[in-house]
Structure formats: C-alpha cells, structure tokens
Amino acid sequence: DAGITQSPRHKVTETGTPVTLRCHQTENHRYMYWYRQDPGHGLRLIHYSYGVKDTDKGEVSDGYSVSRSKTEDFLLTLESATSSQTSVYFCAISPEYNEQFFGPGTRLTVL
Amino acid sequence: QQQVKQSPQSLIVQKGGISIINCAYENTAFDYFPWYQQFPGKGPALLIAIRPDVSEKKEGRFTISFNKSAKQFSLHIMDSQPGDSATYFCAYQAGTALIFGKGTTLSVSS
C-alpha cells in the first residue's frame, strides 16, 4: 500500500463521541487526502492537504476536520460522530496532484 | 457537482473473454483519467491512467480507450481471468481532487 498506514483499521463508537483517524506515510509525498467510501457512492473526498498546516475542504467535509502538523501524518477528526458517518475511510497520498496511492482503509461504525 | 457516469454497475464475463467498462464525463478541462482496481477489504490500487492527448494506452491485458469528442473513456480487460474479479473505478482529475465513478463489480467465471 505504497508506504501508507492507517490506524485504527476498525473502530466501533457511539453517536456523539469524538473520533480521530490517523494516516501515516513514509514516502515524503506533499499531498495527502481523506476519502470515504459508501455503497452506491464510490469514493468521495472529505479533506486534503497540500503541505504541513495547509489543508482544504473536499466534497463532503461537513462534520469533519483535519490537521497536518508533520509531512508524514494527516489526521481526520469527527468532532461528534453520527450514524451517517459510518463508512470506510481511505487515506491517499500523491507526490503531485495526479497519481494518488491509497492506504488500506479504516472501517468505522457509529452506533 | 461534477460527476463521472460509470457503467455497467456489475459485469459477469467468462474466463478468457473481454471485459469492457465505460465512463462518461462532463467537463473537457480535465487532463488525467485513472482507473483503480479494488479487492474486497483492500484500498483502491492504481491500475492504469491516460491523458487526453492520446487515444489509447495499453499495459499488458489492460487498455484504456479515450474519446475526447464524446467525453468518454473505457477500460478493456483482454483475456479476463478469475484473479481480475474486483471492483473497478474510473476517475478524473478535477483540480486537486479525483472524482470517482460509482464502480463496476467484475466477476470472471472459470
């Protein structure tokens, strides 16, 4: 998975609790992305980063925040998880903004 | 919201046959069109990609055909094998983001 790890790989949480997902890369790529994958919707961009402390919103950013304090780490936070955020979350990295390489994913269930 | 329309949703092909998946997009300003392959429980893996200055790109058994005037591109898998059974996603580059189709589940029967 192109030097990308995601943690945790599986998480079950309750509605209203905060959740943080971590993406770690060893490739020193500039761009990092968070996507969610849901049946019938394909992959949709949540947030992305184009450098340390430089982030921007994607298509489905409501309810999510991100932070990138180091090149290798990109965190996705659900401030107050809702059942609609039950999904599989993928991190991706890219040296420039074309070829994107995906991590193994985190399956999140919000009860 | 820009989108890419992918068809069919699912596809069953006999071993040795040709699998064809089609995608249509709306905006001619895009310049990068990748295809991803995803196995159950895994992340999507970049399979092959094309830029609109060429009409076809081949890598092994996988070929992308690109029709700029029709705003369509397709993936052909020649001599399909059971190991090709997976979900395939087309995408295009829109600024920094990739916009994905909804996926095609391919089953290759032996």
Side-chain angles (χ1 to χ4, degrees), chain B:
Chain B
Q1 178 62 46
Q2 298 182 50
Q3 56 182 342
V4 55
K5 296 181 180 179
Q6 184 172 346
S7 62
Q9 265 190 313
S10 62
L11 183 60
I12 300 173
V13 173
Q14 293 260 350
K15 179 181 176 181
I18 302 174
S19 304
I20 302 174
I21 304 171
N22 299 298
C23 285
Y25 62 98
E26 298 172 339
N27 190 320
T28 57
F30 308 130
D31 63 356
Y32 177 71
F33 298 84
W35 285 88
Y36 283 82
Q37 179 189 56
Q38 185 178 29
F39 294 104
K42 303 292 186 181
L46 181 61
L47 186 63
I48 187 172
I50 197 169
R51 298 192 182 275
D53 53 346
V54 297
S55 59
E56 187 174 282
K57 181 176 180 180
K58 184 176 181 179
E59 291 185 0
R61 296 185 293 108
F62 300 91
T63 299
I64 299 179
S65 297
F66 189 84
N67 186 329
K68 191 173 183 178
S69 61
K71 300 181 188 177
Q72 293 178 344
F73 57 112
S74 60
L75 175 69
H76 291 63
I77 306 174
M78 311 301 289
D79 186 27
S80 298
Q81 299 296 312
D84 297 330
S85 298
T87 300
Y88 294 82
F89 294 93
C90 64
Y92 61 77
Q93 190 83 42
T96 311
L98 285 177
I99 305 298
F100 285 85
K102 295 183 178 181
T104 297
T105 301
L106 170 65
S107 296
V108 181
S109 60
S110 54

